[in-house]
Amino acid sequence: MALSREQIAIRVARELKDGFYVNLGIGIPTLVANYIPDDIDVMLQSENGLLGMGPFPAEDEVDADMINAGKQTVTAATGASIFSSAESFAMIRGGHVDLTVLGAFEVDVLGNIASWMIPGKLIKGMGGAMDLVAGAENIIVTMTHASKHGDSKLLDRCSLPLTGAACIKKVLTDLAYLEIADGAFILRERAPGVSVDEIIAKTAGKLIVPDYVPEIQY
Amino acid sequence: MALSREQIAIRVARELKDGFYVNLGIGIPTLVANYIPDDIDVMLQSENGLLGMGPFPAEDEVDADMINAGKQTVTAATGASIFSSAESFAMIRGGHVDLTVLGAFEVDVLGNIASWMIPGKLIKGMGGAMDLVAGAENIIVTMTHASKHGDSKLLDRCSLPLTGAACIKKVLTDLAYLEIADGAFILRERAPGVSVDEIIAKTAGKLIVPDYVPEIQY
Amino acid sequence: MAGFNKIVDSYEAAMAGLEDGMTVLSGGFGLCGIPENLIAQIKKSGVTNLTVVSNNCGIDGFGLGILLEDRQIKKMIASYVGENALFESQLLANELEVELTPQGTLAEKMRAGGAGIPAFYTATGYGTPVGDGKEVRVFSGRSYILEEAITGDFAIVKGWKADKFGNVIYRNTAQNFNPLAATAGKITVVEVEEIVEPGELDPAHIHTPGIYVDRVIKGNFEKRIEQRTVRAAQ
Amino acid sequence: MAGFNKIVDSYEAAMAGLEDGMTVLSGGFGLCGIPENLIAQIKKSGVTNLTVVSNNCGIDGFGLGILLEDRQIKKMIASYVGENALFESQLLANELEVELTPQGTLAEKMRAGGAGIPAFYTATGYGTPVGDGKEVRVFSGRSYILEEAITGDFAIVKGWKADKFGNVIYRNTAQNFNPLAATAGKITVVEVEEIVEPGELDPAHIHTPGIYVDRVIKGNFEKRIEQRTVRAAQ
């Protein structure tokens, strides 16, 4: 069965390592913060200028001057630092963030990602996404494997305008965890109860299927 | 008679305007701080990262962590700000400093300045001088009109490696105050008792002498 | 002597000199740390054909969104827009020009504008529509695009506290683009919640040194919250 | 869990991994705000063929000057050198390579190195020997030269206070190049006068956020003064 949003977040959280600085995009990536393993410390970076993002505030802690990149009211964790947008993106673009998790419309076998613009629809802008994909060595894309109409989002070449070129190496969908290398998706794990055949059917881009593809354990 | 170091500083101080942010180089320019007119406020920028430099400290105020660009112990004036070298030169290179006063070996009719390097002698480096001359609209160069050997320092073309190209518009020497425009020095004022003929004799670069050249008043 | 006293007493004086066709840089991220009263003054002044540079364009009826009501904005340079219906309708009707710029590039462009750097290379946007028509250059085997600095005729900035010299500190994440905009305006206007005496702000912890600031005004702020999010009571 | 505890207990541990031929970025201006104990540890370690990037090179017997004694520095990138006789003699004997860089360009190169900007244009140095061999480009009628970023294998930094997460503040003008070097080291080591508990430093006034810092050590400092200048007693 396809993974739930929470299950995707739980699987992503396993990629976190002790001492990681992590930027979590809006949507499913944000949920990852709820599943950080107890035995590790990570520090969350919010690109509007906060390193060490804490949980949402209690009612009496709400502060209009303390928000995250999703414009939600948040708190600062003990030991946080707050800075300008230029400093924040110096961190991001300078490669100091250990892991970035973000959503996408499409990913392809070259590691290209399209996540910000659907021609013909209203274009709201890329925000910090282009900076994040250009700045991080280590990026996990989370998305559904196929659209509601059944069209694969894992392609040979992205059809939509790119957010970044040749920058994605890891994709977690509702069906599978895949790595991108040497011009192909490599199927590393599958959602519990999802067959390799289903993943093959829903992956338009070149797919390499190893002999053994374990199920993701929950 | 040629101006003393103090007289040069006094004349330069007359170029200060109320509300000016000013960077004073090492040597004679530093003395300008002693002659700021009582009826105006200026704020001194020191390129090591201090805006609002105060006087030298009293014995019991000496602080190894509070120095100026000449590495002298100083104080911070009330309302000062302290920042990194990048921020300091953002101010300088971004054109936010209203007036820069610095010394030179040579200046020429194109506004070129040479102040940092004499081939064959030990080269100590340009420090912040190249940034200052490239960043300021308004620069006053102070120097002796001629070398000890009588060689003019106001030339058609600088003979020494440049600190900056086409950036100097005002020169105050021990003999005269000159502006640079349209490929010539324009003699605006002369030191008390110094004849126009002496200035002509000691100026190698093209010199324009207006009909009336007042003496600098002290 | 007037000296370094940059305090003005009215919003008219704060925005004096703003004219049709000028470029205005604004601090703020979403509705956080926006110079809301300076924006309101721009609306009141009725100037038009503005180019506005800001990460976002406010919402319907608040922040920069109110400058859309009388079509005062000709061109918007931003990283993320469209949180308001009026923006969308003017955009679709070609009444508004939009130049979308990655958030980090936008921040760096403003900083560069203030710091005398006319252009810089960045990996952000390479291989995307943002890179179209821009010079590509390879450094150490990686491709980068050339991005030019941004400056403005005015910068409008929201601070927390300032002194009369124009030294400013920001509160929490209301800092965002404010100190960058502050460096890059020919005339930089800062509105703050509190004016303090010179010396009250720790010199080593001033976010915007007064050299960048031309005018300071004390305002009252609504500080509207865009996404009020709280955790469950314990 | 080790987590974000970056405190090390010995200078050996602080500089572990430094090898012959590496590039070291150092904070400090003159003798102000120099990481004096980290420099001493480099001397003790005996590594050679270093490229050192710092505004100055200390004086005879103190600061980076001590690395000249055993000829540990192969190349110096600085804006102003020659405050010490040993430097001069090694330079004249061609035992030391020097790349003189304008102070503002040097600061910006380090910042760029930390911020993922491989190169930028600046007016500084155009038409001078600094511009020789560098690309010139005209923006808005003015000529600029292209300058490339600097990064280091190590950055050595002197802070005032730090917490175990590596958040650092600097004291007065001892800030100078320190926060810039801190961003541009593959391994950034900060020595401080005091280690404080996380949360003691105001989040909005941290000069160097911990993300840039790999190791923190508490040291004792001589803080030698280069030009002790006092005013006459009243």
Side-chain angles (χ1 to χ4, degrees):
Chain A
M1 215 177 69
L3 300 180
S4 67
R5 288 161 57 88
E6 286 70 23
Q7 284 177 311
I8 291 175
I10 290 166
R11 176 62 190 84
V12 169
R14 290 180 195 158
E15 299 294 307
L16 302 174
K17 293 204 176 78
D18 194 31
F20 261 24
Y21 296 97
V22 180
N23 185 293
L24 300 176
I26 293 167
I28 292 175
T30 300
L31 298 177
V32 174
N34 299 331
Y35 301 104
I36 299 167
D38 285 339
D39 59 344
I40 68 168
D41 269 345
V42 303
M43 209 172 268
L44 301 177
Q45 205 264 12
S46 188
E47 65 260 32
N48 57 313
L50 171 60
L51 180 69
M53 182 166 61
F56 294 131
E59 275 290 349
D60 60 356
E61 293 174 326
V62 168
D63 180 349
D65 292 334
M66 186 69 92
I67 67 167
N68 65 14
K71 282 123 186 173
Q72 297 170 309
T73 45
V74 291
T75 56
T78 300
S81 52
I82 297 171
F83 33 79
S84 76
S85 300
E87 180 63 47
S88 184
F89 282 93
M91 284 176 196
I92 290 167
R93 292 149 61 114
H96 304 280
V97 172
D98 296 300
L99 176 67
T100 286
V101 185
L102 79 172
F105 301 144
E106 296 175 347
V107 171
D108 72 26
V109 296
L110 299 179
N112 295 323
I113 174 174
S115 66
W116 70 288
M117 180 184 179
I118 299 179
K121 286 202 180 182
L122 184 73
I123 299 158
K124 293 197 171 187
M126 68 294 284
M130 285 190 184
D131 305 290
L132 283 159
V133 298
E137 270 295 299
N138 190 5
I139 304 170
I140 301 177
V141 168
T142 62
M143 61 181 190
T144 55
H145 209 96
S147 73
K148 286 170 193 166
H149 311 295
D151 299 325
S152 177
K153 297 179 176 181
L154 287 84
L155 307 172
D156 270 324
R157 291 294 180 277
C158 288
S159 67
L160 298 170
L162 298 187
T163 307
C167 51
I168 306 300
K169 293 177 194 143
K170 298 174 186 172
V171 183
L172 182 65
T173 73
D174 54 339
L175 302 185
Y177 174 65
L178 309 101
E179 290 175 0
I180 301 174
D182 303 325
F185 297 106
I186 304 166
L187 180 58
R188 290 296 180 200
E189 300 172 22
R190 58 199 166 93
V194 171
S195 70
V196 168
D197 284 347
E198 180 182 350
I199 294 165
I200 291 172
K202 288 185 173 167
T203 304
K206 182 179 175 187
L207 179 70
I208 293 172
V209 182
D211 290 343
Y212 175 62
V213 180
E215 284 189 357
I216 299 170
Q217 301 297 316
Y218 287 93
Chain B
M1 216 178 70
L3 300 180
S4 66
R5 290 162 55 89
E6 285 70 23
Q7 284 176 311
I8 291 175
I10 290 166
R11 175 62 191 84
V12 169
R14 291 181 195 157
E15 298 294 308
L16 301 174
K17 292 203 177 76
D18 193 32
F20 260 22
Y21 295 97
V22 180
N23 185 292
L24 300 176
I26 293 165
I28 292 176
T30 300
L31 299 177
V32 174
N34 300 330
Y35 301 104
I36 298 167
D38 284 340
D39 59 343
I40 67 167
D41 268 347
V42 304
M43 209 173 268
L44 300 179
Q45 205 264 11
S46 188
E47 65 260 31
N48 58 314
L50 171 59
L51 180 68
M53 182 166 60
F56 295 131
E59 275 290 350
D60 60 355
E61 292 172 328
V62 168
D63 179 348
D65 292 334
M66 184 69 92
I67 67 167
N68 65 16
K71 283 123 188 174
Q72 298 169 308
T73 45
V74 291
T75 56
T78 300
S81 51
I82 297 171
F83 33 79
S84 77
S85 299
E87 180 63 45
S88 183
F89 282 93
M91 283 176 196
I92 290 167
R93 293 149 60 115
H96 304 279
V97 173
D98 296 301
L99 176 67
T100 286
V101 185
L102 81 170
F105 301 144
E106 296 174 347
V107 171
D108 72 28
V109 297
L110 299 178
N112 295 323
I113 174 173
S115 67
W116 72 285
M117 178 185 180
I118 299 179
K121 287 202 181 184
L122 184 73
I123 300 159
K124 294 197 169 187
M126 68 293 285
M130 286 192 183
D131 305 289
L132 283 159
V133 299
E137 270 294 299
N138 190 4
I139 304 170
I140 301 178
V141 168
T142 64
M143 61 180 188
T144 54
H145 209 96
S147 73
K148 288 170 192 166
H149 311 293
D151 299 326
S152 178
K153 297 180 177 180
L154 288 83
L155 307 172
D156 271 325
R157 291 293 180 278
C158 288
S159 67
L160 298 170
L162 298 187
T163 307
C167 51
I168 307 300
K169 292 177 193 144
K170 298 173 185 172
V171 183
L172 182 65
T173 73
D174 53 341
L175 302 185
Y177 175 65
L178 310 99
E179 290 177 1
I180 301 174
D182 302 326
F185 296 106
I186 304 166
L187 180 58
R188 291 297 181 199
E189 299 172 21
R190 58 198 168 92
V194 171
S195 70
V196 168
D197 285 346
E198 181 182 349
I199 294 165
I200 291 172
K202 289 185 175 168
T203 304
K206 181 179 176 187
L207 179 70
I208 294 171
V209 182
D211 291 342
Y212 175 62
V213 181
E215 285 189 353
I216 299 171
Q217 301 297 316
Y218 286 94
Chain C
M1 56 192 168
F4 293 88
N5 186 354
K6 299 174 180 180
I7 297 172
V8 296
D9 291 329
S10 74
Y11 276 92
E12 286 75 15
M15 293 306 293
L18 180 68
E19 292 171 13
D20 290 354
M22 281 187 166
T23 295
V24 178
L25 316 180
S26 178
F29 180 91
L31 301 183
C32 181
I34 60 171
E36 51 184 86
N37 301 295
L38 294 171
I39 294 167
Q41 176 60 32
I42 294 174
K43 176 168 172 65
K44 198 173 151 195
S45 75
V47 297
T48 57
N49 278 311
L50 295 174
T51 295
V52 175
V53 184
S54 166
N55 191 57
N56 314 96
C57 194
I59 60 170
D60 283 316
F62 197 67
L64 289 167
I66 65 172
L67 301 184
L68 299 166
E69 295 165 4
D70 302 319
R71 299 216 170 85
Q72 292 176 270
I73 303 179
K74 180 187 68 177
K75 180 177 178 179
M76 187 76 211
I77 299 177
S79 89
Y80 192 81
V81 291
E83 294 290 2
N84 67 59
L86 195 50
F87 191 98
E88 187 172 335
S89 72
Q90 291 186 16
L91 186 62
L92 293 173
N94 284 320
E95 294 168 345
L96 181 63
E97 189 184 342
V98 177
E99 184 175 318
L100 292 170
T101 303
Q103 195 175 145
T105 296
L106 187 64
E108 193 68 21
K109 278 171 170 264
M110 286 193 200
R111 182 201 176 264
I117 292 173
F120 56 88
Y121 289 93
T122 177
T124 297
Y126 168 72
T128 80
V130 166
D132 286 352
K134 288 174 185 160
E135 183 194 309
V136 173
R137 185 177 299 213
V138 175
F139 295 92
S140 303
R142 190 165 182 207
S143 297
Y144 297 84
I145 60 173
L146 183 66
E147 292 279 7
E148 296 196 15
I150 291 179
T151 57
D153 298 296
F154 271 76
I156 56 173
V157 169
K158 160 66 171 65
W160 181 25
K161 299 179 183 182
D163 62 29
K164 67 178 181 181
F165 295 164
N167 294 309
V168 184
I169 63 169
Y170 305 94
R171 191 167 169 278
N172 296 340
T173 60
Q175 181 171 166
N176 55 62
F177 282 84
N178 280 297
L180 313 170
T183 67
K186 279 199 200 80
I187 296 178
T188 290
V189 189
V190 182
E191 60 172 339
V192 295
E193 297 175 45
E194 191 182 338
I195 288 175
V196 300
E197 286 302 309
E200 279 190 46
L201 302 178
D202 183 337
H205 294 291
I206 286 167
H207 294 122
T208 295
I211 195 168
Y212 294 114
V213 175
D214 298 285
R215 303 171 190 166
V216 175
I217 187 165
K218 182 184 174 310
N220 295 304
F221 299 86
E222 176 184 340
K223 292 207 216 178
R224 201 181 291 186
I225 292 173
E226 210 162 339
Q227 303 279 350
R228 185 187 180 89
T229 321
V230 297
R231 64 174 180 265
Q234 299 302 312
Chain D
M1 57 192 168
F4 293 89
N5 186 356
K6 299 174 180 181
I7 296 171
V8 296
D9 291 328
S10 73
Y11 276 92
E12 288 75 15
M15 293 306 294
L18 181 68
E19 292 173 12
D20 291 353
M22 281 187 166
T23 295
V24 178
L25 317 181
S26 178
F29 179 90
L31 300 182
C32 180
I34 60 171
E36 51 184 87
N37 301 297
L38 294 170
I39 294 167
Q41 176 60 32
I42 295 175
K43 177 167 171 63
K44 197 173 153 196
S45 75
V47 297
T48 58
N49 278 312
L50 296 175
T51 295
V52 175
V53 185
S54 167
N55 191 57
N56 316 94
C57 193
I59 60 171
D60 283 318
F62 197 68
L64 290 168
I66 66 173
L67 301 185
L68 299 166
E69 295 165 4
D70 302 320
R71 299 216 169 86
Q72 293 176 271
I73 302 179
K74 181 187 66 176
K75 179 177 179 180
M76 187 77 212
I77 300 176
S79 88
Y80 193 80
V81 291
E83 295 288 3
N84 69 59
L86 194 52
F87 191 98
E88 189 173 334
S89 72
Q90 291 187 16
L91 187 62
L92 293 173
N94 284 321
E95 294 169 345
L96 181 63
E97 188 184 344
V98 176
E99 184 175 317
L100 292 170
T101 304
Q103 195 175 146
T105 296
L106 187 63
E108 192 68 21
K109 278 170 170 267
M110 287 194 201
R111 181 199 176 266
I117 293 174
F120 56 88
Y121 288 94
T122 177
T124 298
Y126 168 72
T128 80
V130 166
D132 286 352
K134 289 174 183 159
E135 182 194 309
V136 174
R137 186 177 298 212
V138 175
F139 295 93
S140 303
R142 190 164 184 209
S143 297
Y144 298 83
I145 60 173
L146 184 66
E147 292 280 7
E148 295 195 15
I150 292 179
T151 56
D153 297 298
F154 271 76
I156 55 173
V157 169
K158 158 68 171 63
W160 181 25
K161 299 180 183 182
D163 62 29
K164 68 178 180 180
F165 295 165
N167 294 310
V168 184
I169 63 170
Y170 305 94
R171 191 169 168 276
N172 295 340
T173 61
Q175 182 172 165
N176 55 63
F177 284 83
N178 280 298
L180 312 170
T183 66
K186 279 199 202 81
I187 297 178
T188 291
V189 189
V190 182
E191 60 171 340
V192 294
E193 297 174 45
E194 192 182 337
I195 288 174
V196 301
E197 286 301 309
E200 280 190 45
L201 303 177
D202 182 338
H205 295 290
I206 286 167
H207 293 123
T208 295
I211 195 169
Y212 294 114
V213 175
D214 298 286
R215 303 171 190 167
V216 175
I217 187 165
K218 183 185 173 310
N220 296 304
F221 298 87
E222 177 184 341
K223 291 208 217 180
R224 200 180 294 187
I225 291 174
E226 209 162 341
Q227 303 278 350
R228 185 188 180 88
T229 319
V230 297
R231 64 172 181 267
Q234 298 300 314

